[in-house]
Amino acid sequence: MTLNQQRKLKTLVTGLFAWTVALVLFFPIFWMFITSFKTELQAISIPPALFFEPTVDNFRVVQERSDYVHHALNSVITSFGSTIIALIIAIPAAYSMAFFPGKRTKDILLWMLSTKMLPAVGVLVPIYILCRDYGLLDSRTALVIIFTLMNLPIVVWMLFSYFKDLPKEILEAARMDGATPWDEVVKVVLPLSVGAISSTALLSIVLCWNEAFWSLNLTASDAAPLTAMIASYSSPEGLFWAKLSAASTLACAPIVIFGWFCQKQLVQGLTFGAVK
Amino acid sequence: MNNTIKNAVTLTVSLSAAVIAVNAAAQTEITVATVNNGHMIEMQKLTPIFEKANPDIKVKWVTLEEGVLRQNVTQDIANKSGLYDVMTIGMYEAPIWGERGWLQAVDTSGNYDKADILPSIRDGLSYKGTMYASPFYGESSMVMYRKDLVEAAGMEMNDRDSWDHIRDVAAAVNDPSKGIYGICLRGKAGWGDNMAFMTTMANSFGARWFDENWKPQLESNEWKTAVNFYVNLVNKYGPPGSSSNSFNESLALFNEGKCGMWIDATIAASFVTDPKQSKVADQVGFAQSPISVTEKGANWLWSWALGIPVATKNVDAAQKFVRWATSKEYIQLVGNTNGWAAVPTGTRSSTYANPKFQKAAVFAEAELKAINSANPNDSTLKPSPYVGVQFAAIPEFQAIGTTAGQMVSGALAGSMSVDQALKNANRAADRQMRQAGYY
């Protein structure tokens, strides 16, 4: 086998492997999508129905029963709102830790990350009582605050990882030209980090969009996002898979389309700092 | 001129504000938390009729998965948050929460006709004679079987057959090569899943959860015999993977024509006889739950009911809504709108006396018989201190029942012996009861 043939074979094997992994990962989403076009009986049939007459009846039922726009709006407001606040807090924090590290910077970073290891249910009761006492139950404000706090460690970490790879000489040159710390952040660091910030924002939005624990526990009707809408289609007594799939498809669609358009930034953001 | 414009603007703004204020003050908004069951969804659809008759009340709905609903409403009621004005609760919660003073007593005055509510359901939702939740629909358990398969196997089914007979029928009908299994039973762990069924079966074998001193009895011979019988029956004649099946999975199997028999909630009768859902709708027969040594507690009793938390600020509006949703008139409304086979059953005697319902629901007689024969105050052969057929209405039961469910499910899956499973479950129950100060 020639070197050229070996290379081609390697590319073929790698390609096949990548496609297999991609198909395995994508399969549940595909199955959810096609189940949403089945009747309830087709959805549970064994062996599974692969060829069937599609129906949009489940989507009609979801539209009739749930106020999709209301839930979607709540998802947009809470995920975008919390991401913006998280970025406002995280950018200066990451900047100071990346360019002016102190003795305890590493400890602080580790401590921030460690808060992600705490099971959410461990703080459910105190947070629920706080929300009750401040009249924040079933409000978007509560979700925005919780989502911000929840994603802040990840946002700070991602931005910190990027900022620390920026050449310090650029900042020194700016300082030589009389730039204040505010100028450094706004006029130098931010323009250089647009890619990193947008990918961090994207990741934070996706995490907030998919969050279910706090959404289900702290909201009822007014502030309930799409995750709460999906949960309402599970039934203890009765067939529900087709309708649940339709609700899930509708809930996933906006973020999947959004992610599709922004996948370049997302991949870039997830891999920055990975290859030196 | 300027003054005239100013006055006109001031007047318009004041009038608009007054109109808005009057409207806001006139309409009371109530939030109803519920589960996604067919009957509940229908209630949601018919709510505009209630709102039209009561223009001062607006109803908002929160539909949740059963586990999430339980967690949310418990959190809400225990913390007196007032997030929900009406909550869907079960027969397990109603007496416990009523005793703690967390629920408003049901307003049964006027034409509500409390006497029309089936006595066992009414008792199950009461504490010391006071009803704390209004039944929206009720259920017991019974045998649903394939008449064609049983007949082809040369067997016969009767009310209150013995468990030995059920095993023989299951063996005769069982034909895995054709994808038909003798019997489908719950196996998924959970106090409301496998243990609801297992407890009724154990009751009929003479078992009880606790003795008169609240000592757990899961290691008794009665429990051992019952669980061994169940494990052998399901492993021999049940579908593969039964340890992860509950109501919905068994319903799917039965509707697909893969079960010879299925013992589960009576509410399933309306699904398995519906040709839109079931491939075997015209072949289903019904019989009362099987027994071993006693009829006591052989079939369960449950009701999804509407309760009003004491923390609600809209008691009157909530009471009005609950009275409407659980009234005879509501059942009439559903019957006229969606057909009599679709009405919420298991709550009122008048439903079963209605000829239109009797004609539409082939399962009506069997369901009523099952509900009437279940007595939550006397569900075990030996005396027991608790109320409830398939559960003990004490706060500790959820944890005890779920642990026992995990053990029984483990025994069914073959990961441990029945004796070991019951020993573990008993030990966990004993620890829980000691910690709670029962002895």
Side-chain angles (χ1 to χ4, degrees), chain A residues 233-251:
Chain A
Y233 284 88
S234 166
S235 170
E237 287 180 339
L239 301 177
F240 61 86
W241 288 112
K243 286 184 211 68
L244 183 79
S245 299
S248 301
T249 303
L250 285 173

Side-chain angles (χ1 to χ4, degrees), chain B residues 125-348:
Chain B
L125 296 170
S126 302
Y127 174 70
K128 287 191 174 169
T130 305
M131 254 175 81
Y132 284 98
S134 306
F136 184 65
Y137 77 81
E139 64 181 32
S140 183
S141 52
M142 64 181 176
V143 185
M144 288 156 277
Y145 64 94
R146 288 275 302 281
K147 288 190 281 192
D148 54 336
L149 295 179
V150 171
E151 201 184 309
M155 302 297 281
E156 219 175 64
M157 290 289 293
N158 299 295
D159 275 352
R160 296 287 188 215
D161 273 324
S162 70
W163 273 107
D164 288 338
H165 181 72
I166 291 288
R167 183 194 50 210
D168 295 344
V169 175
V173 167
N174 194 48
D175 190 355
S177 63
K178 289 184 182 162
I180 292 166
Y181 300 94
I183 190 162
C184 295
L185 295 173
R186 294 182 180 196
K188 189 178 173 183
W191 73 272
D193 288 300
N194 63 343
M195 289 319 285
F197 167 76
M198 194 62 247
T199 304
T200 56
M201 186 174 177
N203 286 342
S204 83
F205 275 77
R208 56 185 171 165
W209 274 95
F210 304 101
D211 69 6
E212 299 94 314
N213 300 312
W214 289 103
K215 289 258 167 71
Q217 298 297 302
L218 289 158
E219 281 191 280
S220 64
N221 284 332
E222 291 88 352
W223 268 102
K224 283 179 184 170
T225 316
V227 178
N228 269 311
F229 193 99
Y230 161 78
V231 168
N232 288 333
L233 179 69
V234 177
N235 280 338
K236 273 187 184 169
Y237 311 119
S242 285
S243 60
S244 51
N245 287 356
S246 196
F247 180 91
N248 280 331
E249 292 78 7
S250 299
L251 171 65
L253 287 165
F254 195 92
N255 279 355
E256 278 285 304
K258 293 182 185 298
C259 304
M261 281 178 285
W262 178 28
I263 305 174
D264 215 300
T266 51
I267 192 78
S270 58
F271 304 140
V272 296
T273 53
D274 176 6
K276 282 185 203 154
Q277 294 190 43
S278 171
K279 287 181 181 171
V280 293
D282 56 342
Q283 292 296 343
V284 187
F286 304 99
Q288 297 302 300
S289 290
I291 55 167
S292 179
V293 297
T294 179
E295 279 192 19
K296 280 188 177 183
N299 43 285
W300 71 61
L301 186 69
W302 183 255
S303 169
W304 280 115
L306 300 177
I308 302 170
V310 286
T312 177
K313 289 176 186 125
N314 307 309
V315 183
D316 291 342
Q319 289 278 19
K320 252 187 198 174
F321 177 76
V322 170
R323 282 170 65 94
W324 171 79
T326 59
S327 65
K328 281 189 277 190
E329 292 73 26
Y330 175 81
I331 294 169
Q332 189 88 30
L333 174 68
V334 179
N336 294 338
T337 316
N338 303 316
W340 280 89
V343 300
T345 56
T347 56
R348 288 183 172 273

